[in-house]
Amino acid sequence: MSTGSCARLELRGVAHAFTPGAPIFQGLTETMSPGEVWAVTGPSGAGKSTLLSLLAGWESPTAGDIERIGIDTVGWVFQNPHGQAHRTALDHVVYPIIARGTARPEASRRAEHILDELGLRALAERTFAQLSGGEAQRLMLCRAIATEPDLLLVDEPTAQLDRTNAATVNSVLRSLARIGAIVVVATHDHDTVASCSHRLTLDRAPVATGDARS
Ligand SMILES: Nc1ncnc2c1ncn2[C@@H]1O[C@H](COP(=O)(O)OP(=O)(O)O)[C@@H](O)[C@H]1O
Ligand SMILES: [Mg+2]
């Protein structure tokens, strides 16, 4: 995680359209800084997942621009988790730590600690294929944490979870921000929204504007 306190994500007049002339959102201007947890809210189809991929830099907005300053590592936790079916939960978290140059014994200790934080310690030796959807998604959050991201993008992390596990996830996202990450969460969950420090709402309301560029 880069420690520069000037790291930030700048959105300036961001719009995105899959169909020319029919933007799913427009005019998004925000500055997102380390320590902040942003809730991206809005009904299904409003563009929450699309906005996350714009923030990651996977797609370019059709209007406006997004500048990533001092952001080297981007972590993603998808709504539908993809893991390696026959590898253990622990391996999924250990490998990114080893890849960052830590020896295996220490990497295993750190990985177990992260699994513990998300209530998955007891499942460390299970294979990915043996995990439930909610467990698999929490494991992907563990893996993303192991990469020490400057920016963490999380898509609907609590949709498959009971309240207790959802509260754990919300609290882990806040602690990640406290140690210097920018965290952006697409969510419908009122408790998750309440747990975030900032909110960006995509409401699909038609925008009265003379700006026809997007
Ligand atoms: N690659 C794509 N091509 C065309 N339309 C897309 C594409 N991805 C998403 N969309 C459309 O853009 C809108 C926003 O989708 P999405 O970002 O997944 O919304 P949300 O995550 O808020 O449910 C939806 O109408 C969706 O069908
Ligand atoms: Mg989505």
Side-chain angles (χ1 to χ4, degrees), residues 86-126:
H86 303 297
R87 289 216 185 273
T88 64
L90 182 63
D91 278 350
H92 280 81
V93 188
V94 167
Y95 287 153
I97 301 174
I98 290 176
R100 291 173 58 80
T102 304
R104 183 176 259 277
E106 171 61 16
S108 294
R109 271 194 295 279
R110 277 197 223 165
E112 281 168 9
H113 175 75
I114 296 171
L115 287 169
D116 201 27
E117 267 193 305
L118 280 147
L120 295 175
R121 179 82 175 258
L123 307 183
E125 295 307 326
R126 290 220 194 141

Side-chain angles (χ1 to χ4, degrees), residues 47-200:
K48 300 182 293 299
S49 300
T50 302
L51 179 60
L52 294 189
S53 58
L54 297 180
L55 297 181
W58 288 359
E59 284 183 80
S60 298
T62 45
D65 68 86
I66 298 178
E67 197 178 356
R68 276 170 291 278
I69 299 146
I71 294 172
D72 299 325
T73 312
V74 180
W76 245 106
V77 182
F78 299 101
Q79 195 169 2
N80 299 310
H82 297 285
Q84 293 180 280
H86 303 297
R87 289 216 185 273
T88 64
L90 182 63
D91 278 350
H92 280 81
V93 188
V94 167
Y95 287 153
I97 301 174
I98 290 176
R100 291 173 58 80
T102 304
R104 183 176 259 277
E106 171 61 16
S108 294
R109 271 194 295 279
R110 277 197 223 165
E112 281 168 9
H113 175 75
I114 296 171
L115 287 169
D116 201 27
E117 267 193 305
L118 280 147
L120 295 175
R121 179 82 175 258
L123 307 183
E125 295 307 326
R126 290 220 194 141
T127 64
F128 185 82
Q130 291 170 329
L131 302 178
S132 73
E135 289 163 353
Q137 200 190 22
R138 270 183 294 152
L139 178 63
M140 293 299 102
L141 177 56
C142 291
R143 187 173 68 172
I145 291 169
T147 67
E148 298 182 26
D150 302 307
L151 170 65
L152 179 66
L153 305 165
V154 193
D155 205 350
E156 311 227 11
T158 58
Q160 304 183 64
L161 300 183
D162 58 73
R163 291 292 91 198
T164 306
N165 280 314
T168 302
V169 165
N170 294 337
S171 140
V172 165
L173 294 176
R174 286 196 310 270
S175 13
L176 205 61
R178 267 201 302 276
I179 61 169
I182 302 169
V183 179
V184 186
V185 193
T187 188
H188 283 111
D189 181 331
H190 295 298
D191 292 342
T192 300
V193 175
S195 153
C196 291
S197 59
H198 295 71
R199 182 166 179 174
L200 196 165

Side-chain angles (χ1 to χ4, degrees), residues 21-37:
I24 52 175
F25 49 74
Q26 58 186 309
L28 303 182
T29 296
E30 302 285 357
T31 301
M32 299 178 174
S33 301
E36 297 174 353
V37 186

